[in-house]
């Protein structure tokens, strides 16, 4: 990954980017690049995921059969860095795709780029709600005003947690129109790529400052579920399928709908299509004949 090297003024705009930041200098139906490496002794896939700006869910789905916590040294590891952009994406709008636990943003003006970051979302019973929102406040070093519902669960918590290493909001926060809903950093990066929060959307500590600089106050936010995404790239017909038990969707019917919309159904290799739908590995797969 690390595509920022050719971005010209993008690095200056953002004040410098992390080495593996998923900020791509040109738009398109597909961004990023997948690669391969071998697991090193004592290295978990959580560490590999963070080093490549991926969530835990992405690295685990792309590498079935590999123990994500204790992979065998020398095991081949797929780095799923290529992503089909969601259909909901448009300039100026943040899109959070709950199906893949990933956020996308294309600025409405300025350099032509697509920014995409893995996220953590709400746990069972506290799910991040799909819908349309706006960024109503941007705050660096935010204090955490602990909701009463959380203080009931954890009565030892104070009413307000000041900025610092113990603050679960991390270094930056974007407040949305829904009461209490935020996009923010985290002091628990292992939760990125998992549904573990109380409903908010969390980014890696190194990613949230980049998003914070890119997104203006008032930007619209769409929280969606797109477990199936389709794209055509350089003549290749690609499908990306994510396992999302909360989507309540017929995967085959959704794939058919998206392919029909692109007038591409006649080009499909049916065996490849159904293999991708069954495996749900979260990586773009060529299903063309």
């Amino acid at each position: 990954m690390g595509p920022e090297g050719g971005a010209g003024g993008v690095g200056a705009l953002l004040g410098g980017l992390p080495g593996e930041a998923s900020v791509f200098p040109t738009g398109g139906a597909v961004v990023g690049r997948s690669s391969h490496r071998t697991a090193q002794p004592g290295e978990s896939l959580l560490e590999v995921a963070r080093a490549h700006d991926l969530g835990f869910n992405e690295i685990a789905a792309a590498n079935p059969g590999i123990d994500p916590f204790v992979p065998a040294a020398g095991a081949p590891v797929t780095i799923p860095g290529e992503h089909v952009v969601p259909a909901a994406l448009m300039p100026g709008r943040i899109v959070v795709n709950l199906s893949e636990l990933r956020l996308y943003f294309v600025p409405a003006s300025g350099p032509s780029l697509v920014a995409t970051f893995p996220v953590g979302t709400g746990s069972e019973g506290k799910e991040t709600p799909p819908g349309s929102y706006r960024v109503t406040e941007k705050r660096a070093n935010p204090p955490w005003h602990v909701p009463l519902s959380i203080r009931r669960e954890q009565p030892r918590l104070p009413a307000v947690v000041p900025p610092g290493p113990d603050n679960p909001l991390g270094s930056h926060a974007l407040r949305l129109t829904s009461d209490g809903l935020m996009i923010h950093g985290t002091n628990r990066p292992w939760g990125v790529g998992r549904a573990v929060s109380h409903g908010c959307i969390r980014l890696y500590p190194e990613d949230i400052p980049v998003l914070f600089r890119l997104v203006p106050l008032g930007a619209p936010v769409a929280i969606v579920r797109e477990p199936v995404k389709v794209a055509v790239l350089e003549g290749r017909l690609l499908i990306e399928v994510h396992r999302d038990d909360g989507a309540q969707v017929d995967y085959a019917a959704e794939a058919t709908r998206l392919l029909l919309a692109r007038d591409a159904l006649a080009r499909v290799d049916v065996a490849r299509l159904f293999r991708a739908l069954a495996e749900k590995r979260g990586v773009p797969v060529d299903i063309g004949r």
Side-chain angles (χ1 to χ4, degrees):
M1 294 168 66
E4 69 281 1
V10 174
L13 170 71
L14 300 179
L17 293 171
E20 292 291 345
S22 298
V23 178
F24 302 90
T26 56
V30 180
V31 295
R33 182 177 67 253
S34 293
S35 60
H36 300 272
R37 54 166 291 180
T38 57
Q40 302 302 304
E43 177 182 60
S44 73
L45 291 193
L46 283 80
E47 295 166 299
V48 175
R50 186 173 179 183
H52 292 273
D53 210 30
L54 299 168
F56 173 76
N57 64 312
E58 296 174 300
I59 201 81
N63 294 279
I66 296 180
D67 187 325
F69 302 102
V70 191
V77 177
T78 297
I79 307 299
E82 188 177 36
H83 314 284
V84 175
V85 302
L89 189 63
M90 63 176 58
R93 173 195 284 174
I94 294 174
V95 172
V96 177
N97 187 5
L98 298 176
S99 298
E100 60 178 318
L101 297 182
R102 182 161 280 272
L103 178 152
Y104 295 81
F105 180 68
V106 175
S109 60
S112 177
L113 59 87
V114 177
T116 177
F117 308 104
V119 300
T121 59
S123 59
E124 185 177 355
K126 302 165 187 173
E127 291 87 352
T128 302
S132 298
Y133 308 91
R134 285 193 175 273
V135 175
T136 59
E137 181 184 10
K138 295 176 60 178
R139 190 154 186 182
N141 300 313
W144 181 38
H145 295 270
V146 185
L148 285 176
S149 58
I150 297 178
R151 292 183 69 193
R152 291 190 191 102
E153 295 175 8
Q154 304 177 57
R156 293 185 179 182
L157 282 173
V160 180
V161 177
D166 296 327
N167 190 319
L169 301 186
S171 63
H172 297 78
L174 306 176
R175 185 174 297 278
L176 308 186
T177 41
S178 177
D179 184 38
L181 189 59
M182 288 185 281
I183 300 172
H184 59 75
T186 184
N187 62 347
R188 298 179 179 178
W190 56 264
V192 173
R194 300 170 183 258
V196 294
S197 79
H198 282 79
C200 286
I201 298 156
R202 57 177 69 171
L203 278 71
Y204 282 130
E206 59 270 26
D207 285 344
I208 188 62
V210 180
L211 182 69
F212 189 85
R213 294 186 189 104
L214 279 174
V215 175
L217 195 64
V221 179
I223 301 177
V224 302
R225 288 191 182 275
E226 291 189 26
V228 182
K229 300 183 292 181
V230 170
V232 177
L233 177 68
E234 299 174 352
R236 293 189 301 152
L237 182 58
L238 303 174
I239 191 168
E240 182 179 315
V241 187
H242 295 267
R243 187 176 304 279
D244 180 1
D245 296 335
Q248 298 182 335
V249 64
D250 183 320
Y251 283 84
E254 180 66 3
T256 300
R257 182 186 72 81
L258 293 171
L259 291 163
L260 280 171
R262 289 161 177 76
D263 196 26
L265 201 57
R267 298 172 50 192
V268 171
D269 181 310
V270 176
R272 287 183 177 182
L273 169 61
F274 279 93
R275 189 179 306 119
L277 292 172
E279 292 180 346
K280 298 180 179 65
R281 292 183 63 184
V283 294
V285 176
D286 191 335
I287 57 169
R289 290 181 177 177

